Amino acid sequence: KKLPTLIEKAKKTATYRGMPLRLMFQDEARFGRITELKRCWAPVPSRPEVGHQRIREYTYAYGAVSPKDGRADFLILPIMTAAAMNVFLVEVAKRHSQEYILMIYDGAPCHSQSALYAPDNMMIETLPPYSPRLNPVENIWEEIREKFFDNFVFGSIDAVEDKLMEALLYLENNPKLVKSII
């Protein structure tokens, strides 16, 4: 009910500035060295051996997607704070410097509107509380975990970040796939 009103307000601002409007949804996800065992295929009668570990080291992927064309922007940062979110927002604003962006994000504790800085070409708004299913970026994280992280054991957090970078670059370069996922 609120989204059409927000889009209309953002359209007016974009038109006033002579810029096209881009609607994006933002979220972040934690990736680390804890391995979750998943089913996998193997020829009968073999039984695959899969490594397993519980090392609590993490990094964070920040992502924003545009449902209209599948455009995706990602950044890997070591922490999830308002300062890190501001770094991400500035980066997205630079990547879309010729567009006005309506960025919709969840209400995570580190996303306090008073702590966030909206770049000049961006309007930021929160999703309703307790509604992660409304954020299409959630589907991206599931895809990455399923296709790139199942049954992997990482020797370092750098290895996690390398694999995450591979996944994020693949998605950034395949907007049709992103659009089908979101």
Side-chain angles (χ1 to χ4, degrees):
K1 180 170 146 177
K2 185 179 175 185
L3 186 60
T5 307
L6 288 173
I7 291 173
E8 203 52 46
K9 181 180 175 184
K11 272 185 188 176
K12 286 179 183 175
T13 305
T15 301
Y16 176 76
R17 295 178 182 204
M19 304 169 100
L21 176 64
R22 176 174 292 277
L23 172 63
M24 299 188 89
F25 289 85
Q26 186 281 331
D27 195 28
E28 58 285 313
R30 183 173 70 175
F31 290 86
R33 295 182 61 197
I34 293 179
T35 310
E36 291 185 29
L37 296 177
K38 301 284 184 172
R39 291 182 183 195
C40 61
W41 291 99
V44 175
S46 69
R47 187 175 188 120
E49 291 184 25
V50 178
H52 184 68
Q53 68 183 9
R54 291 234 178 255
I55 298 173
R56 299 187 191 290
E57 269 187 299
Y58 305 101
T59 193
Y60 295 86
Y62 286 71
V65 297
S66 181
K68 183 177 180 181
D69 60 5
R71 176 75 190 262
D73 296 299
F74 298 103
L75 202 55
I76 300 171
L77 296 168
I79 54 176
M80 189 176 112
T81 62
M85 177 69 161
N86 284 328
V87 167
F88 178 72
L89 293 175
V90 168
E91 179 63 27
V92 172
K94 285 180 188 173
R95 292 182 188 185
H96 300 277
S97 62
Q98 301 304 309
E99 298 173 299
Y100 189 75
I101 303 163
L102 171 55
M103 183 72 73
I104 310 288
Y105 62 96
D106 63 17
C110 68
H111 294 168
S112 148
Q113 277 200 331
S114 62
L116 294 181
Y117 162 75
D120 192 45
N121 65 326
M122 186 181 291
M123 177 178 155
I124 56 175
E125 290 291 334
T126 58
L127 284 168
Y130 309 106
S131 60
R133 69 194 174 285
L134 297 178
N135 194 339
V137 187
E138 296 287 350
N139 300 327
I140 294 291
W141 307 138
E142 287 178 30
E143 180 79 4
I144 291 171
R145 286 187 172 98
E146 180 182 310
K147 299 289 191 307
F148 291 87
F149 280 80
D150 274 1
N151 296 330
F152 273 89
V153 174
F154 297 99
S156 69
I157 197 67
D158 291 337
V160 172
E161 289 180 353
D162 289 344
K163 191 67 169 175
L164 186 55
M165 191 177 328
E166 175 189 333
L168 298 177
L169 286 172
Y170 178 76
L171 291 169
E172 279 189 7
N173 292 321
N174 289 287
K176 286 183 183 177
L177 174 62
V178 171
K179 188 174 179 181
S180 74
I181 294 168
I182 63 173

